Amino acid sequence: MAELKETDAAQLHQEDVDIKRGDGGDASSAAERPAEQTSEAAADDDIKPPITTSERHISIQMNLEGLEALVDLNGAGRKSCPLCPEEKFKACYSHKLRRHLQNLHWKVYVEFEGQRMCICHLPCRNLKPSLSGDQVSGRHVAHYHCVVCSVTIARKTDMISHLKRHVNKGETEASYSGSADVPFEEPAPLGQAYEIMKELGTNVQLLPNYSTPQKSDTYFNRKMKTNRQLVFCSLAVLAEERNPLECLDAFGATGIMGLQWARHLRNAVKVTITDISDTCIKMIKENCELNHIRVDGGPRGPRGPDGAGNDVKAAPIATVEVAKMDANVIMHLRPFDYIHLDPFGTAVNYLDAAFRNVRNLGIISVTSTDTGSLYAKSPNVTLRHYGCQIVRTEYYKELAARMVVASVARAAARCNKGIEVLLAVALEHFVLVVVRVLRGPTQADESAKKLRKLVHCQWCEERVFLKLGNMVDDTLPCNCHGSLPGKTTVQLGPLWCGPLFNTGFLRRMLSAAVQHNMDDIQPLVKTLICESECTTLKSLVHGPSALTNQVECGVVIKTLQSGDETGAVDPSGKRKTGDESGNVVKKLKSDAPLEHPPFYYSIHRHSIRGMNMPKLNKFLQYLTEAGFRVSRTHFDPTGVRTDATLSQFKSILTKYSVPTYTQAGATQTPSVSMEQTA
């Protein structure tokens, strides 16, 4: 207690020194004078709270002129900043100090009841300890002084949340007392001041700083709506094969994804939402009550907010389990049919635990948001996380998807499991990979055989996978290594060389998207279906008839006899047994359609200078007429997926390109003739 009193006295003394330095010594010491005698009038008459100049910290001002008035900027000589210590900002002339006050302190203020709380760098808070634990060698933390109470808060978003709680409690009167620092705690009550967002019929409460992952445990990204809908559709397809499913949302945050599963799939799924943060767990439970979903182990009846109507008394529509546990721990403890991994960054640290207890023929979906390492912006991080050598190419998004699949396949092989890729999507903000788990060492060996090196020409960007074996040869069809000096090829990977899409699964995902009114992702899923078949056909059926032929790409699952519409029925009307259906799957695997060709070419990357390219749809038609398989790709709006080599691709592009100078010559010819006739 004695140490605390000494700290309080030292803080008050420092604040009084700062006030004297800013106000030119007009303010008297608050430590030597009791609070009852500090009854000076406020500097500004239009301030709503009755705050006196001696009580208010100098970082709280009404306008920029009040902040600049702390120092005589019109005087000559060097002057110190009133809100920065001498070791942080040295004394300088008036023009530089004015710019410093505007760009650093005033630019990031927090406004409340007409008062602006500027950021303060004075030693009002305790020193932040260094890595060695030495507090003396640490650094001071920038902070804000609350205009209502005596707390100092480091983050702007936390100060906004702090002020909102003052408003909810009715505390709008400024009562800054200059007492000791009170440690700031994370927001506990989730009230009506927080924003409520609705997505896919599910309501979630969001903290004011929900869009900043570094400052909020309950991070929520609106741009990941496409990702959440794709994951939901993949789960809906699995729920048609078997139910009830035990599914896991390993990184709940706000719980939006798991709540969408429970709200729309109801009794077909048993949802478990986990997170390691206490704040997230509390918010997930609040969001469960907001959506009339019962938390497993909680009260049977839903508790609505105060003042709710009679509609809150209805029975809960679903039940979810909310657990505060590390993702690796819960995946080691319990088996699941469906696991979704969406950490902030890479998911390679959780793949081994995910494949340890996942059930046979279950599904694992992985979302990676570390686009810096996936898109070859940080090759050192890529090598550290994924064990792959990559460079920036024109097909870098598909390269990222194949790299993530390769990491998933290696993790599955370590658990004697194989994978079948159902979906691989790479967009601007994320890479999503959905795989089906196939148990057994034979399946693991088959998946491991699809991890190969990629030979890439850095001059023309032709590429080809190396064949199996130890012999390495020059397999690139281009002649750049012979016509150009030096070495032009590099080896990338190892990467996944198998297919990235399952046509039958994608068609069922499209049916689920139509059933649940997901209009946003339907064009994307249609593009994926055409890309998986490597065709340009636009007519896609997404009704019950779309589920009649769902054995493309040789899916090794027993779903043909489990669903109402996908069951394999013999002429007598009885369902086939498991052994008979297994024989049918083996027979269909040999009759499976051709895999889509790997990678794609960008029509703009390989355009010819001085030539006008044909329209993309026209060019796709020309490639089809030449006998090549061709389709568009979701990885690149100007990309063309085809089994033609780069030389064949360029020859057809050159054939149907029109020189630009012919049009110019045609326009100039009449003018020349007119001059001659004149």
Coordinates of all heavy atoms in Angstrom, one line a residue, residues 158-226:
D158 N -10.5 0.5 -27.5 CA -10.9 0.2 -26.2 C -11.4 1.4 -25.4 O -12.3 1.3 -24.6 CB -9.7 -0.3 -25.4 CG -9.3 -1.7 -25.9 OD1 -10.1 -2.3 -26.6 OD2 -8.1 -2.1 -25.7
M159 N -10.9 2.6 -25.7 CA -11.5 3.8 -25.1 C -12.9 4.1 -25.6 O -13.8 4.5 -24.8 CB -10.6 5.0 -25.5 CG -11.1 6.4 -25.0 SD -11.4 6.5 -23.2 CE -9.7 6.8 -22.7
I160 N -13.2 3.8 -26.9 CA -14.6 3.9 -27.4 C -15.5 3.0 -26.6 O -16.6 3.4 -26.2 CB -14.6 3.7 -28.9 CG1 -13.8 4.8 -29.6 CG2 -16.0 3.7 -29.4 CD1 -13.6 4.6 -31.1
S161 N -15.1 1.7 -26.5 CA -15.9 0.8 -25.7 C -16.1 1.2 -24.3 O -17.1 1.1 -23.7 CB -15.2 -0.6 -25.8 OG -15.0 -1.0 -27.1
H162 N -15.0 1.7 -23.7 CA -15.1 2.2 -22.3 C -16.1 3.4 -22.2 O -16.9 3.4 -21.2 CB -13.7 2.7 -21.9 CG -13.6 3.2 -20.5 ND1 -13.6 2.5 -19.4 CD2 -13.5 4.5 -20.1 CE1 -13.5 3.2 -18.3 NE2 -13.5 4.5 -18.7
L163 N -16.1 4.3 -23.1 CA -17.0 5.4 -23.0 C -18.5 4.9 -23.2 O -19.4 5.5 -22.6 CB -16.6 6.5 -24.1 CG -15.3 7.2 -23.8 CD1 -15.0 8.1 -25.0 CD2 -15.4 8.0 -22.6
K164 N -18.7 3.9 -24.1 CA -20.0 3.4 -24.3 C -20.6 2.8 -23.0 O -21.8 2.9 -22.8 CB -20.0 2.4 -25.5 CG -19.9 3.1 -26.8 CD -20.0 2.1 -27.9 CE -19.9 2.8 -29.3 NZ -20.1 1.8 -30.4
R165 N -19.7 2.2 -22.3 CA -20.2 1.6 -21.0 C -20.6 2.7 -20.0 O -21.5 2.5 -19.2 CB -19.1 0.7 -20.4 CG -19.0 -0.7 -21.2 CD -18.2 -1.7 -20.4 NE -16.9 -1.2 -20.1 CZ -15.8 -1.4 -20.9 NH1 -16.0 -1.9 -22.1 NH2 -14.6 -1.0 -20.5
H166 N -19.8 3.8 -20.1 CA -20.2 4.9 -19.2 C -21.6 5.4 -19.6 O -22.4 5.8 -18.8 CB -19.2 6.1 -19.4 CG -18.0 5.9 -18.5 ND1 -18.0 5.7 -17.2 CD2 -16.7 5.9 -18.9 CE1 -16.8 5.6 -16.7 NE2 -16.0 5.7 -17.7
V167 N -21.9 5.5 -20.9 CA -23.2 6.0 -21.4 C -24.3 5.0 -21.0 O -25.4 5.4 -20.6 CB -23.2 6.1 -22.9 CG1 -24.5 6.5 -23.5 CG2 -22.2 7.2 -23.3
N168 N -24.0 3.7 -21.1 CA -25.0 2.7 -20.7 C -25.4 2.8 -19.2 O -26.5 2.6 -18.8 CB -24.6 1.3 -21.0 CG -24.4 1.1 -22.5 OD1 -25.0 1.8 -23.3 ND2 -23.6 0.1 -22.9
K169 N -24.4 3.2 -18.4 CA -24.6 3.3 -17.0 C -25.1 4.7 -16.6 O -25.4 4.9 -15.4 CB -23.3 3.1 -16.2 CG -22.8 1.6 -16.3 CD -21.4 1.5 -15.6 CE -20.9 0.1 -15.8 NZ -19.6 -0.1 -15.1
G170 N -25.3 5.6 -17.6 CA -25.7 6.9 -17.3 C -24.7 7.9 -16.7 O -25.0 8.9 -16.2
E171 N -23.4 7.5 -16.9 CA -22.3 8.3 -16.4 C -21.8 9.2 -17.5 O -20.9 8.8 -18.3 CB -21.2 7.4 -15.8 CG -21.7 6.5 -14.7 CD -20.6 5.5 -14.3 OE1 -19.6 5.5 -15.0 OE2 -20.8 4.8 -13.3
T172 N -22.3 10.3 -17.7 CA -21.9 11.3 -18.7 C -21.3 12.5 -18.1 O -20.8 13.4 -18.9 CB -23.1 11.7 -19.6 OG1 -24.1 12.3 -18.8 CG2 -23.6 10.5 -20.3
E173 N -21.3 12.6 -16.8 CA -20.7 13.8 -16.1 C -19.2 13.5 -16.0 O -18.8 12.5 -15.5 CB -21.3 14.0 -14.8 CG -22.8 14.5 -14.8 CD -22.9 15.9 -15.4 OE1 -22.0 16.7 -15.2 OE2 -24.0 16.2 -16.0
A174 N -18.4 14.5 -16.4 CA -16.9 14.3 -16.3 C -16.5 14.5 -14.8 O -16.9 15.5 -14.2 CB -16.2 15.3 -17.1
S175 N -15.8 13.6 -14.3 CA -15.4 13.6 -12.9 C -13.9 13.2 -12.7 O -13.6 12.4 -11.9 CB -16.3 12.7 -12.0 OG -16.2 11.4 -12.5
Y176 N -13.1 13.8 -13.6 CA -11.7 13.4 -13.5 C -11.1 13.9 -12.2 O -11.1 15.1 -11.9 CB -10.9 14.1 -14.7 CG -9.5 13.7 -14.8 CD1 -9.1 12.5 -15.4 CD2 -8.5 14.5 -14.2 CE1 -7.8 12.1 -15.5 CE2 -7.2 14.1 -14.3 CZ -6.8 12.9 -14.9 OH -5.5 12.5 -15.0
S177 N -10.5 13.0 -11.5 CA -10.0 13.3 -10.1 C -8.5 13.3 -10.1 O -7.9 13.7 -9.1 CB -10.6 12.3 -9.1 OG -10.2 11.0 -9.4
G178 N -7.9 12.8 -11.1 CA -6.4 12.7 -11.1 C -5.9 11.7 -10.1 O -4.7 11.8 -9.7
S179 N -6.7 10.7 -9.8 CA -6.2 9.6 -8.9 C -5.3 8.6 -9.6 O -5.0 8.8 -10.8 CB -7.4 8.9 -8.2 OG -8.2 8.3 -9.2
A180 N -5.0 7.6 -8.9 CA -4.1 6.6 -9.5 C -4.7 5.8 -10.6 O -6.0 5.8 -10.8 CB -3.6 5.6 -8.4
D181 N -3.9 5.2 -11.5 CA -4.4 4.5 -12.6 C -5.2 3.3 -12.1 O -4.8 2.6 -11.2 CB -3.2 4.0 -13.5 CG -2.7 5.1 -14.4 OD1 -3.4 6.1 -14.5 OD2 -1.6 4.9 -14.9
V182 N -6.3 3.0 -12.8 CA -7.1 1.8 -12.6 C -6.8 0.9 -13.8 O -7.0 1.3 -14.9 CB -8.6 2.2 -12.5 CG1 -9.4 0.9 -12.3 CG2 -8.8 3.2 -11.4
P183 N -6.4 -0.3 -13.6 CA -6.1 -1.2 -14.7 C -7.4 -1.4 -15.6 O -8.5 -1.7 -15.0 CB -5.6 -2.5 -14.1 CG -6.2 -2.5 -12.7 CD -6.2 -1.0 -12.3
F184 N -7.2 -1.3 -16.9 CA -8.4 -1.4 -17.8 C -8.7 -2.9 -18.0 O -7.8 -3.7 -18.3 CB -8.1 -0.7 -19.1 CG -9.1 -1.0 -20.1 CD1 -10.4 -0.4 -20.0 CD2 -8.9 -1.8 -21.2 CE1 -11.3 -0.6 -21.0 CE2 -9.8 -2.0 -22.2 CZ -11.1 -1.4 -22.1
E185 N -9.9 -3.3 -17.9 CA -10.3 -4.6 -18.1 C -11.1 -4.7 -19.4 O -11.7 -3.7 -19.9 CB -11.2 -5.2 -17.0 CG -10.5 -5.2 -15.6 CD -11.4 -5.6 -14.5 OE1 -12.6 -5.9 -14.8 OE2 -10.9 -5.7 -13.4
E186 N -11.0 -5.9 -20.0 CA -11.8 -6.1 -21.3 C -13.3 -5.9 -21.0 O -13.8 -6.2 -19.9 CB -11.5 -7.5 -21.8 CG -10.1 -7.7 -22.4 CD -9.9 -6.8 -23.6 OE1 -10.8 -6.6 -24.4 OE2 -8.8 -6.3 -23.8
P187 N -14.0 -5.5 -22.0 CA -15.5 -5.3 -21.8 C -16.2 -6.6 -21.4 O -16.0 -7.6 -22.0 CB -15.9 -4.8 -23.2 CG -14.9 -5.3 -24.2 CD -13.6 -5.2 -23.4
A188 N -16.9 -6.4 -20.3 CA -17.6 -7.6 -19.8 C -19.1 -7.6 -20.3 O -19.5 -8.6 -20.9 CB -17.5 -7.6 -18.3
P189 N -19.9 -6.6 -20.0 CA -21.3 -6.7 -20.4 C -21.5 -6.5 -21.8 O -20.9 -5.5 -22.4 CB -21.9 -5.6 -19.5 CG -20.9 -4.6 -19.3 CD -19.6 -5.3 -19.3
L190 N -22.2 -7.3 -22.5 CA -22.6 -7.2 -23.9 C -24.0 -6.6 -23.9 O -25.0 -7.4 -23.8 CB -22.5 -8.5 -24.6 CG -21.1 -9.1 -24.7 CD1 -21.1 -10.5 -25.4 CD2 -20.1 -8.2 -25.3
G191 N -24.1 -5.4 -24.1 CA -25.5 -4.8 -24.1 C -25.9 -4.3 -25.4 O -25.4 -4.7 -26.5
Q192 N -26.9 -3.4 -25.5 CA -27.5 -3.0 -26.7 C -26.6 -2.0 -27.4 O -26.9 -1.6 -28.5 CB -28.8 -2.3 -26.4 CG -29.8 -3.3 -25.8 CD -31.1 -2.6 -25.5 OE1 -31.3 -1.4 -25.7 NE2 -32.1 -3.4 -25.0
A193 N -25.5 -1.5 -26.8 CA -24.6 -0.5 -27.5 C -23.8 -1.2 -28.5 O -23.2 -0.5 -29.4 CB -23.7 0.1 -26.4
Y194 N -23.7 -2.5 -28.5 CA -22.9 -3.2 -29.5 C -23.7 -3.4 -30.8 O -24.9 -3.6 -30.8 CB -22.4 -4.5 -29.0 CG -21.5 -4.4 -27.8 CD1 -22.0 -4.4 -26.5 CD2 -20.1 -4.2 -28.0 CE1 -21.2 -4.2 -25.4 CE2 -19.3 -4.0 -26.9 CZ -19.8 -4.0 -25.6 OH -19.0 -3.8 -24.5
E195 N -23.0 -3.4 -31.9 CA -23.6 -3.5 -33.2 C -24.1 -4.9 -33.4 O -23.4 -5.9 -33.1 CB -22.6 -3.2 -34.3 CG -23.2 -3.3 -35.7 CD -22.1 -2.9 -36.7 OE1 -21.0 -2.5 -36.4 OE2 -22.4 -3.1 -37.9
I196 N -25.3 -5.1 -34.0 CA -25.9 -6.4 -34.3 C -25.9 -6.5 -35.8 O -26.5 -5.7 -36.5 CB -27.3 -6.5 -33.7 CG1 -27.2 -6.5 -32.2 CG2 -27.9 -7.8 -34.2 CD1 -28.5 -6.7 -31.5
M197 N -25.3 -7.6 -36.3 CA -25.2 -7.8 -37.8 C -26.0 -9.1 -38.1 O -25.9 -10.0 -37.3 CB -23.7 -7.9 -38.2 CG -23.5 -7.8 -39.7 SD -23.7 -9.4 -40.6 CE -22.7 -10.5 -39.6
K198 N -26.6 -9.1 -39.2 CA -27.4 -10.3 -39.6 C -26.9 -10.8 -40.9 O -26.7 -10.1 -41.9 CB -28.9 -9.9 -39.8 CG -29.8 -11.1 -40.1 CD -31.3 -10.7 -40.1 CE -32.2 -11.9 -40.2 NZ -33.6 -11.5 -40.2
E199 N -26.6 -12.1 -41.0 CA -26.0 -12.8 -42.2 C -26.7 -14.1 -42.3 O -26.6 -14.9 -41.3 CB -24.5 -12.9 -42.1 CG -23.9 -13.5 -43.3 CD -22.4 -13.7 -43.2 OE1 -21.7 -12.6 -43.2 OE2 -21.9 -14.8 -43.2
L200 N -27.3 -14.4 -43.4 CA -27.9 -15.7 -43.6 C -28.9 -16.0 -42.6 O -29.1 -17.1 -42.1 CB -26.9 -16.8 -43.8 CG -27.3 -18.1 -44.5 CD1 -27.7 -17.8 -45.9 CD2 -26.3 -19.2 -44.4
G201 N -29.7 -15.0 -42.1 CA -30.7 -15.2 -41.1 C -30.2 -15.4 -39.7 O -31.0 -15.7 -38.8
T202 N -28.9 -15.1 -39.5 CA -28.4 -15.3 -38.2 C -27.9 -14.0 -37.6 O -27.1 -13.3 -38.3 CB -27.2 -16.3 -38.2 OG1 -27.6 -17.6 -38.8 CG2 -26.7 -16.6 -36.8
N203 N -28.2 -13.6 -36.4 CA -27.8 -12.4 -35.8 C -26.6 -12.6 -34.9 O -26.6 -13.6 -34.1 CB -29.0 -11.8 -35.0 CG -30.2 -11.5 -35.8 OD1 -30.1 -10.9 -36.9 ND2 -31.4 -11.8 -35.3
V204 N -25.7 -11.7 -35.0 CA -24.5 -11.8 -34.1 C -24.2 -10.4 -33.6 O -24.4 -9.4 -34.3 CB -23.3 -12.4 -34.8 CG1 -23.4 -13.8 -35.1 CG2 -23.0 -11.6 -36.1
Q205 N -23.8 -10.3 -32.3 CA -23.3 -9.1 -31.7 C -21.9 -8.9 -32.0 O -21.1 -9.8 -31.9 CB -23.6 -9.1 -30.2 CG -25.1 -9.1 -29.8 CD -25.3 -9.1 -28.3 OE1 -25.5 -8.0 -27.8 NE2 -25.2 -10.2 -27.7
L206 N -21.5 -7.7 -32.3 CA -20.1 -7.4 -32.6 C -19.5 -6.3 -31.7 O -20.2 -5.3 -31.4 CB -20.0 -7.0 -34.1 CG -20.5 -7.9 -35.1 CD1 -20.4 -7.3 -36.5 CD2 -19.8 -9.2 -35.1
L207 N -18.3 -6.5 -31.3 CA -17.6 -5.4 -30.5 C -17.3 -4.2 -31.5 O -17.2 -4.4 -32.7 CB -16.4 -6.0 -29.9 CG -16.6 -7.0 -28.8 CD1 -15.2 -7.5 -28.3 CD2 -17.3 -6.3 -27.6
P208 N -17.1 -3.0 -30.9 CA -16.8 -1.9 -31.8 C -15.5 -2.1 -32.6 O -15.4 -1.6 -33.7 CB -16.7 -0.7 -30.8 CG -17.5 -1.1 -29.6 CD -17.3 -2.6 -29.5
N209 N -14.6 -2.9 -32.1 CA -13.3 -3.1 -32.8 C -13.3 -4.5 -33.5 O -12.2 -5.1 -33.6 CB -12.1 -3.0 -31.9 CG -12.2 -3.9 -30.7 OD1 -13.3 -4.5 -30.5 ND2 -11.2 -3.9 -29.8
Y210 N -14.4 -5.0 -33.9 CA -14.5 -6.3 -34.5 C -13.7 -6.5 -35.8 O -13.3 -7.6 -36.1 CB -15.9 -6.7 -34.7 CG -16.6 -6.0 -35.9 CD1 -16.5 -6.4 -37.2 CD2 -17.3 -4.8 -35.6 CE1 -17.1 -5.7 -38.2 CE2 -17.9 -4.1 -36.6 CZ -17.8 -4.5 -37.9 OH -18.4 -3.8 -38.9
S211 N -13.4 -5.4 -36.5 CA -12.7 -5.5 -37.8 C -11.2 -5.5 -37.7 O -10.5 -5.5 -38.7 CB -13.2 -4.4 -38.7 OG -13.0 -3.2 -38.2
T212 N -10.7 -5.3 -36.5 CA -9.2 -5.2 -36.2 C -8.8 -6.5 -35.5 O -9.0 -6.6 -34.3 CB -8.9 -4.0 -35.4 OG1 -9.5 -2.8 -36.1 CG2 -7.4 -3.7 -35.4
P213 N -8.2 -7.4 -36.2 CA -7.8 -8.7 -35.5 C -6.7 -8.5 -34.4 O -6.7 -9.3 -33.5 CB -7.3 -9.6 -36.7 CG -6.9 -8.6 -37.7 CD -7.8 -7.4 -37.6
Q214 N -5.9 -7.5 -34.6 CA -4.8 -7.4 -33.6 C -5.4 -6.8 -32.3 O -4.7 -6.9 -31.3 CB -3.7 -6.4 -34.1 CG -2.9 -7.0 -35.3 CD -3.6 -6.8 -36.6 OE1 -4.6 -6.2 -36.7 NE2 -2.9 -7.3 -37.7
K215 N -6.5 -6.2 -32.3 CA -7.1 -5.5 -31.1 C -8.3 -6.1 -30.6 O -8.9 -5.6 -29.6 CB -7.3 -4.0 -31.5 CG -6.1 -3.2 -31.9 CD -6.4 -1.8 -32.1 CE -5.1 -1.0 -32.5 NZ -5.4 0.4 -32.8
S216 N -8.8 -7.1 -31.2 CA -10.1 -7.7 -30.8 C -10.0 -9.2 -30.9 O -9.5 -9.8 -31.8 CB -11.2 -7.3 -31.7 OG -12.4 -7.9 -31.4
D217 N -10.4 -9.9 -29.8 CA -10.5 -11.3 -29.8 C -11.6 -11.8 -30.6 O -11.5 -12.9 -31.3 CB -10.7 -11.9 -28.3 CG -9.5 -11.6 -27.5 OD1 -8.4 -11.5 -28.0 OD2 -9.6 -11.4 -26.3
T218 N -12.7 -11.1 -30.7 CA -13.9 -11.5 -31.4 C -13.8 -10.9 -32.8 O -14.6 -10.0 -33.2 CB -15.2 -11.1 -30.7 OG1 -15.1 -9.7 -30.5 CG2 -15.3 -11.8 -29.4
Y219 N -12.9 -11.3 -33.6 CA -12.7 -10.8 -34.9 C -13.8 -11.3 -35.9 O -14.1 -12.5 -35.9 CB -11.3 -11.2 -35.5 CG -11.0 -10.8 -36.9 CD1 -11.0 -9.4 -37.2 CD2 -10.7 -11.7 -37.9 CE1 -10.8 -9.0 -38.5 CE2 -10.4 -11.3 -39.1 CZ -10.5 -9.9 -39.5 OH -10.2 -9.5 -40.7
F220 N -14.3 -10.4 -36.7 CA -15.3 -10.7 -37.7 C -15.0 -10.0 -38.9 O -14.8 -8.7 -38.9 CB -16.7 -10.3 -37.2 CG -17.8 -10.6 -38.1 CD1 -18.4 -11.9 -38.2 CD2 -18.3 -9.6 -39.0 CE1 -19.4 -12.2 -39.1 CE2 -19.3 -9.9 -39.9 CZ -19.8 -11.2 -39.9
N221 N -14.9 -10.7 -40.0 CA -14.6 -10.1 -41.3 C -15.8 -10.3 -42.3 O -16.2 -11.4 -42.6 CB -13.4 -10.9 -41.9 CG -12.8 -10.1 -43.1 OD1 -13.3 -9.2 -43.6 ND2 -11.7 -10.6 -43.6
R222 N -16.3 -9.1 -42.7 CA -17.5 -9.2 -43.6 C -17.1 -9.7 -45.0 O -17.9 -10.3 -45.7 CB -18.0 -7.8 -43.7 CG -18.6 -7.2 -42.5 CD -19.1 -5.8 -42.7 NE -19.6 -5.2 -41.5 CZ -20.9 -5.2 -41.1 NH1 -21.8 -5.8 -41.9 NH2 -21.3 -4.6 -40.0
K223 N -15.8 -9.6 -45.4 CA -15.4 -10.0 -46.7 C -15.3 -11.5 -46.8 O -15.2 -12.0 -47.9 CB -14.0 -9.4 -47.0 CG -14.0 -7.9 -47.1 CD -12.7 -7.3 -47.4 CE -12.7 -5.8 -47.5 NZ -11.4 -5.2 -47.8
M224 N -15.4 -12.2 -45.7 CA -15.3 -13.7 -45.7 C -16.7 -14.3 -45.8 O -16.9 -15.5 -45.5 CB -14.6 -14.2 -44.4 CG -13.2 -13.7 -44.3 SD -12.1 -14.5 -45.5 CE -12.0 -16.1 -44.8
K225 N -17.7 -13.6 -46.2 CA -19.1 -14.1 -46.4 C -19.1 -15.2 -47.4 O -19.8 -16.2 -47.2 CB -20.0 -13.0 -46.7 CG -21.5 -13.4 -46.9 CD -22.4 -12.3 -47.3 CE -23.8 -12.8 -47.5 NZ -24.7 -11.6 -47.9
T226 N -18.4 -15.1 -48.5 CA -18.3 -16.1 -49.5 C -17.7 -17.4 -48.9 O -18.2 -18.5 -49.2 CB -17.5 -15.6 -50.7 OG1 -18.1 -14.4 -51.2 CG2 -17.4 -16.7 -51.8

